[in-house]
Amino acid sequence: MLRRFVPHGSRRVQDLAGVWDFAFLGAVDPEKVQPDKIVFDDRMAVPGCFDATPRYAGQRGVAAYRVPLHLAEMGRHRLYLGGVHHWGRVFLLPETGKPQHLTDHVGGFTRFAVDLPAVKPGNYDLIVLVDNTIDYDRCPLHLVYFDWYHYGGIARGAELHRLGDLWIDQLAITTTDYKSRTLKVRVQYASDATPDVAPLTITCQGQPVLSEMVSLRAASGVIEREITLPGAGLWSCEEPTLHQVRVQLGYDDMIERVGIRQVRVEGRSILLNDQPLTLLGFNRHESTAQFGHSQPWQLLVNDVQQLKDMNVNFIRGSHYPQDPRFLDLCDEAGICVWVESIGWQHNAEHLQDERFISAQLNLIGEMVAQSTNHASVIMWGLLNESHSEDRACRKGYKTLIQRIRKLDSSRPVTYACNHPWDDRCLDLIDIVSLNTYPGWYWGSIPTMPEELDKVVDHLDSQAACRDKPLIVSEIGAEALYGFRDWNHERWSEEYQAALHEATIRHLFVTRKRAIGLTLWLYNDFRAANDTKKHLGRARGYNNKGVVDEYRRPKLAYHTVKALYGQVQAAGGGTEGTPQVASTPSPPSTTKTKGRVAKKSVAKPARPAAKKPATKRAAAAKKRTK
Ligand code: ADA
């Protein structure tokens, strides 16, 4: 997968992106598929989602992808797949002989690797079975009731790496002291032939930082070193300075692009390099009509342009690990990101199921491995809106949260809660995040602030919450692109804009308890093909985006842009009292008087309505001159 920087200097990497041979096998048991008997009668893009193409739209079942490989020499080769949606099985077929089953993988949205066995040089076929069937037994991470359409395919690309006898498995670089520009470099290595010693070199922006011979006591292990980069620029939303750090071990290398920043929670604030953050943004789904879960660079550039245009500095990646290339662009744009594992309203049955927990633990490991070096990632999340109020779920929450902390203790952890009145797990997390929809699923825009206050007051009455940062992680309304309505009623662009305006004003002008807001959401997306859900989803889409699925802005886009810009300019909601002028929303008749925060600045006088000039009036006027 191409990134915004070259991840390897000496290691040989072959990008397998392109058009692969393809066959849709449909509702077959993958256990019974004989890879050497498949008739590949079609072709499909990799990266891509096969059911985002007209021919396979809406279809669920097993698909087969094939690409030829030429291995020029003996030795270890490693195949990386960026995200197979959402169950995969990998085979290697030699020109002669039996297919070799290399691995299976459960769950999309995360990168995984498999090593090709020590094969002799020659021509091979790589075959990947991809199943987008919703099948809890085989893949408990993608379930039919989730509110997003589960596209299938090899959505994030494929690469073949040539490893030597000693290689780097993972590289994690963490800021341990931003003031002294100190970083911890963690090198996880492995080898086929373990030399007693090997050269370890670390450079930053091409400048040598460390060079030594390290003794390798085992065939695999971890080497940790601390480096300092005196005078190096820090990473912040305003100045997102990045540094390319290259680690060479023996003949292998890995390059990461890092930001020097530390994130921590202090009381009700989230601090980035000891500065309190006001996080203003959206949830974002990785789903588009044309490409499914696969995202061409053009789309990623478009989205980050629009997010920056709306004065956004925070994105919640709902509800699964984000594409590393999107994170690359957020690193550069100074947009903070909440990355979370796959999850949507799980209950005790799931959280007490070994298979579910095991799949989640594996996914969390892959999520942290692929995202931990991104400066923009400031927190981890999990189990969106699951039943944290149910005692039977607590153990599952604890197990998964402990795993996240074990893998990365440098970032705070949260989950989006929609059971605020009786949540039993909020003591396990660092940041309280609330999903709530007053003004859409219940109540109205005028009553929304009161509803919000009630639930925030309740949370603040809880010892587990009162001294923690609060993020409103979901709130919003549907708006059909292009639907303008004199009544400004639900489903209209006017209604959505008015609700977002009332929400931002209340949270950052009137109430100011929340330090973050991710409106639901940036982009319209195809909802799950679940009849009951569809009845509440016009067009079978979740239309709560401020842009539609083609990124066409709705009225709310401009409302949010104006208000976020003013809150940011006023130093965020928690410190100053931003003078937030009114936004260019249409004349509002949705009774936004009453409880909604008084505008702190008088609405600019509306220009006197011009009388309709008619020919007759003009003629009369002339006569009087
Ligand atoms: C929930 C859920 C979102 C989305 C939203 C909605 O909060 O977390 O994924 O489904 O509701 O649009 O209703």
Side-chain angles (χ1 to χ4, degrees):
M1 168 195 310
L2 292 178
R3 298 280 302 277
R4 282 286 293 146
F5 57 95
V6 179
H8 299 279
S10 49
R11 182 188 295 188
R12 274 169 290 160
V13 176
Q14 181 188 352
D15 188 348
L16 300 175
V19 176
W20 292 24
D21 298 332
F22 181 81
F24 185 66
L25 310 179
V28 298
D29 177 354
E31 302 304 332
K32 298 197 172 67
V33 172
Q34 294 176 284
D36 49 350
K37 302 282 190 296
I38 296 170
V39 175
F40 288 89
D41 55 4
D42 205 343
R43 58 212 52 77
M44 197 53 63
V46 171
C49 289
F50 63 84
D51 52 356
T53 65
R55 185 171 297 165
Y56 303 100
Q59 305 214 23
R60 291 208 176 276
V62 177
Y65 288 74
R66 179 179 68 186
V67 69
L69 296 180
H70 177 71
L71 303 183
E73 54 194 355
M74 282 292 284
R76 184 177 290 268
H77 293 77
R78 176 163 292 177
L79 171 73
Y80 280 98
L81 290 168
V84 172
H85 291 252
H86 34 265
W87 179 88
R89 172 165 286 178
V90 182
F91 293 96
L92 184 69
L93 268 61
E95 267 179 310
T96 55
K98 288 168 63 65
Q100 292 173 290
H101 173 192
L102 301 185
T103 191
D104 291 353
H105 188 266
V106 169
F109 302 111
T110 51
R111 185 185 197 222
F112 64 96
V114 60
D115 287 0
L116 309 190
V119 288
K120 61 183 188 329
N123 295 320
Y124 295 81
D125 277 340
L126 177 70
I127 289 182
V128 181
L129 299 187
V130 175
D131 190 354
N132 70 350
T133 307
I134 309 282
D135 176 340
Y136 181 84
D137 293 332
R138 199 161 60 237
C139 176
L141 298 175
H142 297 251
L143 303 179
V144 69
Y145 69 86
F146 287 9
D147 183 21
W148 74 81
Y149 189 86
H150 300 264
Y151 289 97
I154 303 177
R156 290 187 187 168
E159 292 175 351
L160 186 67
H161 291 210
R162 173 75 176 86
L163 302 179
D165 290 341
L166 169 66
W167 62 88
I168 300 171
D169 272 334
Q170 279 191 24
L171 174 59
I173 303 175
T174 309
T175 304
T176 49
D177 178 11
Y178 79 92
K179 290 181 185 139
S180 61
R181 303 334 191 235
T182 302
L183 305 169
K184 179 178 76 175
V185 178
R186 185 179 188 278
V187 184
Q188 191 173 320
Y189 74 90
S191 62
D192 283 332
T194 314
D196 294 341
V197 290
L200 172 67
T201 310
I202 302 177
T203 59
C204 177
Q205 304 294 111
Q207 299 306 312
V209 175
L210 175 148
S211 178
E212 64 179 80
M213 293 302 285
V214 287
S215 58
L216 304 176
R217 294 190 180 74
S220 62
V222 172
I223 303 165
E224 282 193 354
R225 292 292 183 275
E226 226 171 44
I227 61 172
T228 57
L229 304 174
L234 301 177
W235 191 89
S236 68
C237 299
E238 297 72 26
E239 281 191 71
T241 307
L242 296 166
H243 307 280
Q244 286 202 21
V245 176
R246 182 183 186 199
V247 175
Q248 289 167 278
L249 180 64
Y251 294 105
D252 196 25
D253 76 332
M254 214 172 252
I255 298 168
E256 278 295 350
R257 201 178 58 162
V258 298
I260 302 176
R261 92 282 179 275
Q262 280 175 281
V263 183
R264 64 189 176 86
V265 163
E266 186 176 86
R268 291 182 166 186
S269 297
I270 299 177
L271 304 178
L272 183 85
N273 293 344
D274 293 329
Q275 298 302 313
L277 288 171
T278 298
L279 296 167
L280 302 172
F282 291 95
N283 288 268
R284 176 177 175 273
H285 254 298
E286 292 194 348
S287 170
T288 59
Q290 313 100 298
F291 310 112
H293 293 316
S294 189
Q295 303 183 100
W297 277 112
Q298 174 87 4
L299 178 85
L300 296 173
V301 169
N302 174 95
D303 290 7
V304 173
Q305 277 184 10
Q306 288 189 314
L307 293 170
K308 288 297 282 182
D309 181 51
M310 284 191 277
N311 298 303
V312 160
N313 69 352
F314 186 43
I315 282 291
R316 175 184 176 214
S318 50
H319 298 289
Y320 35 74
Q322 299 297 288
D323 187 322
R325 297 170 303 137
F326 175 68
L327 298 179
D328 280 350
L329 294 180
C330 289
D331 293 341
E332 295 173 7
I335 294 176
C336 297
V337 184
W338 157 346
V339 170
E340 66 182 26
S341 62
I342 301 174
W344 206 88
Q345 298 186 0
H346 292 291
N347 56 31
E349 186 193 335
H350 302 138
L351 283 161
Q352 294 179 110
D353 178 348
E354 272 303 298
R355 294 167 303 172
F356 176 79
I357 293 296
S358 157
Q360 280 284 338
L361 289 170
N362 185 60
L363 172 86
I364 284 169
E366 292 173 344
M367 169 180 83
V368 173
Q370 75 181 32
S371 317
T372 192
N373 291 318
H374 287 277
S376 54
V377 178
I378 63 165
M379 65 177 80
W380 301 113
L382 72 163
L383 296 175
N384 172 60
E385 292 195 343
S386 295
H387 287 270
S388 47
E389 85 291 352
D390 182 342
R391 286 182 204 286
C393 290
R394 182 175 168 88
K395 183 168 176 283
Y397 268 87
K398 212 167 176 175
T399 302
L400 299 181
I401 290 169
Q402 280 172 346
R403 174 59 62 87
I404 293 178
R405 293 193 192 283
K406 186 168 183 316
L407 291 170
D408 176 23
S409 58
S410 74
R411 292 175 172 94
V413 178
T414 188
Y415 61 78
C417 144
N418 68 337
H419 305 281
W421 301 103
D422 50 0
D423 198 303
R424 295 173 184 281
C425 300
L426 290 167
D427 59 306
L428 300 174
I429 49 173
D430 307 302
I431 298 165
V432 178
S433 299
L434 170 66
N435 286 4
T436 182
Y437 282 89
W440 178 253
Y441 289 117
W442 67 88
S444 64
I445 293 175
T447 65
M448 177 276 294
E450 190 178 347
E451 294 281 334
L452 218 40
D453 284 348
K454 267 190 245 166
V455 70
V456 172
D457 290 344
H458 169 73
L459 288 171
D460 280 353
S461 71
Q462 307 296 305
C465 306
R466 70 169 68 97
D467 298 324
K468 289 179 182 174
L470 171 70
I471 290 175
V472 175
S473 38
E474 286 187 34
I475 188 167
E478 305 256 356
L480 294 175
Y481 175 78
F483 175 46
R484 298 292 179 89
D485 176 28
W486 286 120
N487 298 44
H488 294 192
E489 275 309 339
R490 280 177 167 79
W491 298 96
S492 70
E493 290 192 21
E494 290 88 352
Y495 187 92
Q496 182 190 47
L499 179 63
H500 282 347
E501 174 168 359
T503 301
I504 298 169
R505 283 190 183 287
H506 187 65
L507 289 178
F508 296 100
V509 179
T510 313
R511 176 76 198 237
K512 298 192 295 187
R513 166 63 172 96
I515 57 94
L517 167 63
T518 42
L519 294 166
W520 185 269
L521 80 160
Y522 162 63
N523 57 301
D524 290 356
F525 62 95
R526 183 184 292 278
N529 42 357
D530 164 76
T531 309
K532 187 162 153 285
K533 190 165 294 305
H534 263 201
L535 295 178
R537 293 274 183 271
R539 331 181 280 151
Y541 268 66
N542 188 312
N543 304 281
K544 297 190 183 74
V546 296
V547 300
D548 74 354
E549 63 273 25
Y550 299 103
R551 278 40 187 179
R552 296 177 295 185
K554 303 172 190 175
L555 257 187
Y557 177 105
H558 308 287
T559 300
V560 173
K561 171 177 176 174
L563 283 172
Y564 275 180
Q566 289 160 17
V567 172
Q568 297 284 18
T574 45
E575 301 307 316
T577 308
Q579 301 303 311
V580 178
S582 68
T583 57
S585 51
S588 163
T589 58
T590 44
K591 301 181 282 306
T592 51
K593 306 233 174 347
R595 289 283 311 159
V596 171
K598 292 270 170 299
K599 293 191 172 33
S600 55
V601 174
K603 214 174 159 85
R606 190 189 308 259
K610 288 197 181 63
K611 288 194 180 48
T614 61
K615 281 208 185 69
R616 248 196 333 277
K621 213 167 167 186
K622 217 186 266 171
R623 274 199 300 277
T624 53
K625 273 188 183 150

